[in-house]
Amino acid sequence: MTQTLISLISIIIGIIGANLAGLILKKYTLGIIGNTIAGVFGSILFIKSFGRLGFDPNAIMKLGNINLYLFIINIVVSFFGGVIAVILIQKFKKVMS
Amino acid sequence: MEDMIFYDRLQFAFTITFHYIFPQLTMGLSLIIVYYKWRFLKTNIEKYNNAAKFFMKIFAVNFTMGVVTGIPMEFQFGTNWAKFSELTGGIIGQTLAMEGLFSFFLESSFLALFIFGEKLMGQKLHFLTGFLIFLGSWASGYLILATNAWMQHPVGYEILDNGKFVLENFSKLFSNPWLLPAFLHNQLASLVTSSFVVASIGAFYILRNKSIEYGKLFLKTGVIFGLVSSLLLAFPTGDWNAKNVAKYQPATFAAMEGIFETEEAGAEIVLIGQPDMIHKRLDNKIAVPNILSFLTYQDWNKQIPGMDQFKEEELPDNIPALYYSYHIMVGLGTIFIAIMALAVFFLWKKKLYTLKPLLWAIMFLVPFPYIANITGWYTAELGRQPYLVYGLLKTSEGVSPTVSSGNTLFTLLGFVALYMLLGLLFLVLVGKTIHQGPTSQKH
């Protein structure tokens, strides 16, 4: 059941990543609301897509205890999921307008 | 075992209650957004377009929170309720997968197009994307309700020798007599929530003397949608649902109405009273004779079986909680009709925008439709107990046998902490959107 908590933590990390990206890379920011939404979807997309490589929440808890290395990889991927989502959505926004 | 079931149920109740704060707004709000967009297409008045875009921002924040809080629901089927998923996956897996694949993707894809694509697509296509978002969110509700309707009133299934349920007739899943009334009632309830949110933002702007033009528009839209939806919520959809409960779950009907003893000639409707489970009676009750028989069967003297007609194990396991949930829902629904009727009356008299006490009331009433929606769901879920699949699979038979109560409690505490964080973030984001107000950008 800890898997569910891990997935929520990784989404929150994605939100943090997206908002930090917006703060540092000003030209890509979507505003706090846009960055937060991008962070959620970016982290979910990245974990769903790449988590199968062995660091999805189920793999992290496979042996009953938290595998810290896999957990850290999950968090890092989630963080970058948020960052990349902000950049991509800003580019998409420019194309659309 | 008792502990395990208690904590599993508590965790599910907590996570689903928190989750349902968000979809109940998105489903109703999507219809109001489509209305504003349609009005803009008809009149070419910019404020309608800005209103649609403003509420789409609030929709987007809610939708995102709904996605985040929906993830634990998906996980819980496998973690806390593995036995239930194993036995009924052949049936509920169909509708839940369709919900994820069709509705969710329809909603999220077109949400991005609506937010970013107005200039590129033009107004007609922009309206179409809004309409598809509405379609996706309502289809999502329909498929979730189809799953729940099967649990409330199982149809079109076959039970194999190993105890697993398999679908015998796919179309029966969607022609389930429980489904349509439950779906319509649920969607109208979500429209009531959205109407109150729209009206309360309008009242807020008027009281703050900010974005007055939009304040008036939101208030007018909110109270008209609110009155129509709260009336339809009571009749015919609420009435239809109650008749379904009386027909298919008579023990639940007796418990939620607080009928401990069967009366020979016609059942009374209880307005207020406190269930006393030791003496099997309602204390301090105020009731109107024969009304329940008339409302249920259109016959003043028709007998309605009380709880004394059922075996202990056939009755819901928490009668006071069920009784109070149902009565809170009905009581609040009645208040909504009264408030919205009053507001529409003053709108017609052209006094609504200056009537401060009513504006304050509308603004502060906004949590109550949420409470009514959630207690409505509690009524449905507590009423189905002690079964997961009514009459066929008990709740105690559906839990995961290997997950300890300590583990569930630990993760529940984790959810509480994380959801507090998310709740705070949600309030900040929605507050910021409301504070910014509808921007008057040209398209």
Side-chain angles (χ1 to χ4, degrees), chain B residues 33-85:
Chain B
I33 291 167
V34 169
Y35 163 75
Y36 279 138
K37 200 65 210 179
W38 171 76
R39 289 281 292 169
F40 173 64
L41 279 183
K42 286 271 165 199
T43 61
N44 212 24
I45 298 172
E46 191 65 30
K47 70 173 175 180
Y48 291 116
N49 199 28
N50 287 333
K53 288 190 281 185
F54 170 73
F55 282 112
M56 193 53 92
K57 277 187 203 164
I58 293 179
F59 177 98
V61 175
N62 267 271
F63 178 71
T64 308
M65 288 295 165
V67 171
V68 175
T69 55
I71 287 173
M73 311 315 307
E74 172 197 330
F75 270 93
Q76 274 179 86
F77 279 112
T79 53
N80 303 34
W81 303 97
K83 205 70 193 160
F84 168 65
S85 302

Side-chain angles (χ1 to χ4, degrees), chain A residues 48-63:
Chain A
K48 287 272 182 198
S49 308
F50 302 115
R52 300 281 163 93
L53 295 173
F55 52 85
D56 68 4
N58 285 325
I60 293 169
M61 292 301 295
K62 200 173 182 180
L63 300 173

Side-chain angles (χ1 to χ4, degrees), chain B residues 107-414:
Chain B
E107 232 176 318
S108 46
S109 314
F110 286 101
L111 179 61
L113 281 176
F114 188 95
I115 291 174
F116 301 124
E118 188 185 8
K119 282 181 190 166
L120 195 72
M121 292 185 299
Q123 290 307 325
K124 283 188 179 162
L125 277 178
H126 195 233
F127 167 78
L128 185 65
T129 55
F131 181 76
L132 288 169
I133 292 167
F134 156 72
L135 202 67
S137 68
W138 279 51
S140 182
Y142 185 75
L143 292 164
I144 295 292
L145 260 298
T147 312
N148 190 264
W150 184 80
M151 291 165 71
Q152 299 283 357
H153 178 61
V155 287
Y157 66 91
E158 193 185 324
I159 303 176
L160 302 179
D161 293 340
N162 57 9
K164 287 187 178 177
F165 291 77
V166 287
L167 200 55
E168 194 199 22
N169 187 333
F170 186 72
S171 66
K172 278 194 178 169
L173 207 55
F174 295 104
S175 57
N176 187 342
W178 195 280
L179 176 57
L180 188 61
F183 171 68
L184 293 176
H185 193 59
N186 188 68
Q187 299 313 99
L188 283 164
S190 79
L191 192 54
V192 169
T193 300
S194 313
S195 306
F196 268 84
V197 168
V198 171
S200 88
I201 295 173
F204 171 73
Y205 284 153
I206 294 171
L207 287 167
R208 285 282 305 269
N209 208 17
K210 180 188 173 182
S211 306
I212 295 288
E213 187 191 5
Y214 289 98
K216 288 180 177 174
L217 174 67
F218 297 166
L219 190 61
K220 185 179 174 183
T221 314
V223 298
I224 293 173
F225 268 88
L227 179 62
V228 173
S229 54
S230 32
L231 282 171
L232 292 173
L233 192 61
F235 188 85
T237 65
D239 174 66
W240 196 1
N241 268 285
K243 282 176 178 159
N244 258 354
V245 178
K247 187 174 176 185
Y248 299 116
Q249 297 182 357
T252 305
F253 189 71
M256 73 188 210
E257 294 285 358
I259 314 169
F260 281 93
E261 284 176 24
T262 311
E263 288 179 44
E264 286 304 316
E268 60 190 15
I269 196 160
V270 176
L271 304 177
I272 297 174
Q274 300 134 18
D276 176 348
M277 296 312 295
I278 296 166
H279 300 103
K280 310 270 183 211
R281 66 176 187 214
L282 275 181
D283 292 337
N284 309 313
K285 75 172 174 185
I286 299 174
V288 188
N290 297 65
I291 294 283
L292 189 61
S293 290
F294 179 75
L295 288 177
T296 315
Y297 297 106
Q298 284 71 57
D299 176 351
W300 296 99
N301 296 313
K302 175 92 176 170
Q303 194 182 67
I304 293 180
M307 284 181 261
D308 56 347
Q309 301 285 310
F310 301 97
K311 291 178 195 153
E312 194 71 29
E313 61 270 22
E314 287 173 330
L315 290 168
D317 54 10
N318 194 339
I319 292 166
L322 169 63
Y323 168 87
Y324 285 122
S325 299
Y326 173 66
H327 280 80
I328 289 171
M329 174 191 73
V330 173
L332 285 175
T334 312
I335 293 170
F336 299 156
I337 294 173
I339 289 280
M340 286 304 180
L342 200 66
V344 169
F345 173 76
F346 284 113
L347 180 71
W348 174 57
K349 288 276 172 195
K350 299 191 187 335
K351 287 180 182 170
L352 179 63
Y353 305 132
T354 51
L355 207 63
K356 286 198 173 179
L358 191 56
L359 294 179
W360 280 101
I362 289 171
M363 197 174 84
F364 282 113
L365 269 173
V366 81
F368 291 95
Y370 284 96
I371 294 170
N373 262 278
I374 285 163
T375 49
W377 268 105
Y378 285 173
T379 306
E381 297 304 288
L382 288 165
R384 201 190 55 234
Q385 299 302 322
Y387 296 102
L388 280 173
V389 181
Y390 195 75
L392 298 172
L393 181 71
K394 291 217 164 186
T395 306
S396 55
E397 295 164 342
V399 289
S400 306
T402 53
V403 179
S404 71
S405 54
N407 197 345
T408 312
L409 184 60
F410 169 76
T411 47
L412 176 60
L413 293 172

